[in-house]
Amino acid sequence: MADSSDPAVVVIEDIDRLFETKVLTPQFFLNVLDGLFQPVQPVLWIATSNDPRRLEANLLDRPGRFDRMFVFPLPGPDERRRLLERYAAWPLNTEVVAALARESDGLTGAHLREVCYAAALDAAEEPAQFAAALRDQLGKVQAQHQRARSYDFELKGLKVGFGA
């Protein structure tokens, strides 16, 4: 990229996790953003984070590094209902969708899509069992989500992630 004259887009997904692995330090990354790395073409830097509160303030608050930030809140009950309807493999009773939407508080759109896809696989041979499969998969995804939120990201002393 440094030798090319073509414009570039650099996307770093889950930048907070990348810094946790120590493969890339925030200080080095800040130097890159501030011009240590001098590409001859325009570069658009995009970074995502599940928890930007864990990032250093000078990464977020200095003009020229990341000029725009967008926060996507978790879907509310109406959004969760619409997501369930969108991803459902078969039509559902509105009461079932409303109950699932209420019970899925704290889950993202990706979680709900996974609930629907996994339930569709479970009910593929018996579509009449789709609503029950949705309830079962919702419980599994919620349990997985809770484990992931409390997981310490270590396995027998080895860090999990890039460069593990």
Side-chain angles (χ1 to χ4, degrees):
M1 186 174 84
D3 297 330
S4 173
S5 61
D6 295 330
V9 176
V10 177
V11 179
I12 302 171
E13 188 167 344
D14 292 335
I15 194 170
D16 48 335
R17 297 287 187 207
L18 185 61
F19 293 149
E20 284 177 9
T21 66
K22 308 290 190 238
V23 170
L24 181 68
T25 66
Q27 295 76 19
F28 177 78
F29 185 71
L30 294 173
N31 286 334
V32 169
L33 288 178
D34 288 341
L36 178 66
F37 167 65
Q38 291 288 330
V40 295
Q41 80 282 18
V43 176
L44 173 64
W45 293 88
I46 299 173
T48 67
S49 173
N50 288 320
D51 190 359
R53 295 171 298 181
R54 297 169 59 177
L55 296 172
E56 294 190 24
N58 57 357
L59 180 65
L60 301 172
D61 194 33
R62 184 168 169 194
R65 289 181 173 160
F66 291 102
D67 295 327
R68 305 238 182 342
M69 285 185 240
F70 302 92
V71 176
F72 298 96
L74 291 173
D78 287 338
E79 291 91 0
R80 292 192 305 271
R81 180 187 50 76
R82 289 194 306 264
L83 286 164
L84 289 163
E85 289 169 345
R86 176 180 181 174
Y87 293 121
W90 293 280
L92 292 164
N93 178 301
T94 56
E95 290 83 24
V96 169
V97 175
L100 290 167
R102 282 190 306 275
E103 295 165 16
S104 59
D105 188 33
L107 297 182
T108 66
H111 288 119
L112 296 173
R113 182 184 61 222
E114 177 60 25
V115 165
C116 290
Y117 288 177
L121 289 173
D122 287 351
E125 293 184 15
E126 293 184 59
Q129 297 301 313
F130 183 56
L134 278 168
R135 287 189 183 96
D136 180 54
Q137 288 300 325
L138 178 60
K140 289 178 181 179
V141 167
Q142 286 172 320
Q144 178 186 8
H145 181 59
Q146 287 304 317
R147 281 192 309 274
R149 290 173 54 102
S150 64
Y151 190 55
D152 65 5
F153 290 97
E154 287 194 30
L155 295 173
K156 297 182 183 177
L158 297 174
K159 291 284 185 187
V160 175
F162 297 106

